[in-house]
Structure formats: structure tokens, C-alpha cells
């Protein structure tokens, strides 16, 4: 087993996904749910993120080439999506009944993607896959992805302890803070995408 490759990819992906940083947003979106529904949302989000990252690892470059889509465009799209969610959190318009919204809506978008399986995680995965030269190295990368997703699942699974400590008033405050953080992340994503586009077309010219 290529321990160096595993370590590099594991640390890179873990830092990008940032499980501790996900907790405020996860709790802001699922804090009003019953514990069972919140746990299910966390599991669904992790499974979706795993599927998206693996999918892009296997066929990401081919898909983007076929659609004539550049990575900065994917990044900008993720930023726009996060802006919408951030506005909902900041204005407090996220109070759909849990039964109506279901865990799937919040778990799949924005938690599963683009927060967990976002442009950064997708790009990092595609770059490491391009570096791999044997079946063994592909298996090492797969093991690293699974290890990162397990870490994320554990963090989300035990975030319920924080909910008990914060109570409804604390969750309300956390929701506003999470909205502000999400807005900042979204603006950064779009700014990076614009910079990459300018650099690409300037380089071509």
C-alpha cells in the first residue's frame, strides 16, 4: 500500500471537506429535526457526497469535456447555489416542516453537494486520480475517500450533542452565523472562478 499517497490525499480531502466547519451549517439546517431524522440526513449527505466524489473520480474529466464545461464554471455554480442557501439562513426562511422538506432536501442540497462534495473536493480528487499509475494506487485513493467520508459521518452523527447544549435560542444564533459563513464561502468560490476564467482566457490570448 502506498502510504504516502494515502496520507497526501486523505489530508488534502479532509482539509477541503472540513468536517468541524460543517457542523454549524449542518446544525443550522437540521437543528429543528428530531434526532433520528437528523442522523438520517447526515448519513444521506455523506452517501451522496461519496457518490459524487467517486463519480467525478471515475468519469469527471470525460463528463466535463463532453459538456464543454470548465472547472471554474462548476465552481461558480456551486457558489451561486450556496448564496441562495445563505440568504435563506440569514433571513430565517428555512422553517419548512421537517416532514414536508424531508431529510433528503437538506441532506442532498446543500449539505451533500456542494458543501461536502464541492468544487474543491472534486478538483482535488480528479487531480490525484490523474497522478495514479496503477490499480493499487487507485485502490489507495478509494480507501482515502472512504476514510474521509467516515470521519465526516462520525462528526455529523455526534453533532446532536451540540444541539442539546445550544437549545432553540442557540440554534437560532448559530443559523445566522452559518448563513454569514456560507455567504463568505460562496463569494470566495465565485471570486476564484472569475479569477480562473480571466487567467485562462488571458493565457489563451
Amino acid at each position: 500500500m502506498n502510504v504516502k499517497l494515502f496520507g497526501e490525499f486523505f489530508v488534502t480531502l479532509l482539509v477541503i471537506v472540513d468536517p468541524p466547519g460543517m457542523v454549524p451549517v449542518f446544525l443550522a439546517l437540521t437543528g429543528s429535526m428530531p434526532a433520528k431524522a437528523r442522523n438520517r440526513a447526515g448519513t444521506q449527505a455523506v452517501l451522496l457526497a461519496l457518490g459524487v466524489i467517486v463519480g467525478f473520480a471515475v468519469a469527471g474529466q470525460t463528463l466535463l469535456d463532453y459538456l464543454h464545461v470548465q472547472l471554474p464554471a462548476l465552481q461558480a455554480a456551486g457558489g451561486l447555489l450556496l448564496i441562495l442557501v445563505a440568504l435563506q439562513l440569514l433571513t430565517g426562511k428555512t422553517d419548512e416542516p421537517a416532514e414536508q422538506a424531508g431529510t433528503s432536501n437538506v441532506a442532498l442540497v446543500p449539505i451533500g453537494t456542494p458543501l461536502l462534495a464541492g468544487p474543491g473536493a472534486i478538483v482535488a480528487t480528479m487531480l490525484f486520480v490523474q497522478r495514479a499509475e496503477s490499480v493499487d494506487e487507485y485502490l489507495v485513493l478509494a480507501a482515502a475517500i472512504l476514510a474521509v467520508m467516515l470521519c465526516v459521518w462520525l462528526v455529523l452523527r455526534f453533532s446532536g450533542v451540540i444541539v442539546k447544549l445550544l437549545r432553540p435560542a442557540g440554534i437560532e444564533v448559530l443559523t445566522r452565523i452559518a448563513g454569514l459563513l456560507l455567504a463568505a464561502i460562496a463569494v470566495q468560490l465565485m471570486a476564484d472562478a472569475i479569477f480562473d476564467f480571466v487567467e485562462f482566457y488571458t493565457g489563451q490570448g
Side-chain angles (χ1 to χ4, degrees):
M1 180 175 176
N2 190 332
V3 178
K4 184 183 176 186
L5 179 63
F6 177 89
E8 282 181 12
F9 185 42
F10 176 81
V11 171
T12 301
L13 194 57
L14 192 68
V15 169
I16 291 172
V17 173
D18 187 19
M22 273 297 306
V23 172
V25 180
F26 180 72
L27 292 181
L29 293 168
T30 64
S32 59
M33 291 180 180
K36 191 174 179 181
R38 186 170 56 251
N39 292 339
R40 189 165 62 246
T43 301
Q44 289 178 342
V46 169
L47 288 175
L48 173 68
L50 177 62
V52 170
I53 290 175
V54 170
F56 272 94
V58 173
Q61 195 58 58
T62 304
L63 178 64
L64 292 181
D65 290 344
Y66 177 75
L67 296 174
H68 303 291
V69 172
Q70 295 175 33
L71 286 174
L74 192 66
Q75 198 167 346
L80 288 172
L81 184 57
L82 288 185
I83 278 285
L84 295 176
V85 178
L87 289 174
Q88 287 183 333
L89 292 176
L90 287 168
T91 56
K93 294 180 179 176
T94 59
D95 301 326
E96 290 182 70
E99 297 82 8
Q100 210 177 63
T103 54
S104 57
N105 287 346
V106 207
L108 303 185
V109 179
I111 299 173
T113 182
L115 287 176
L116 291 178
I122 289 170
V123 171
T125 302
M126 289 169 63
L127 289 176
F128 271 92
V129 167
Q130 287 173 6
R131 277 176 50 186
E133 297 176 348
S134 66
V135 175
D136 287 348
E137 291 187 343
Y138 287 125
L139 292 175
V140 166
L141 294 180
I145 293 172
L146 288 173
V148 169
M149 289 299 114
L150 178 61
C151 291
V152 174
W153 181 80
L154 288 172
V155 169
L156 298 185
R157 175 68 178 77
F158 292 104
S159 62
V161 178
I162 303 173
V163 172
K164 291 177 183 175
L165 293 174
L166 290 177
R167 301 178 184 249
I171 292 291
E172 182 72 18
V173 173
L174 192 64
T175 299
R176 299 294 182 267
I177 295 172
L180 187 61
L181 292 174
L182 265 188
I185 293 169
V187 170
Q188 187 64 55
L189 277 174
M190 290 188 287
D192 289 345
I194 291 169
F195 178 79
D196 288 343
F197 270 125
V198 170
E199 193 175 36
F200 175 76
Y201 286 110
T202 304
Q204 278 200 332

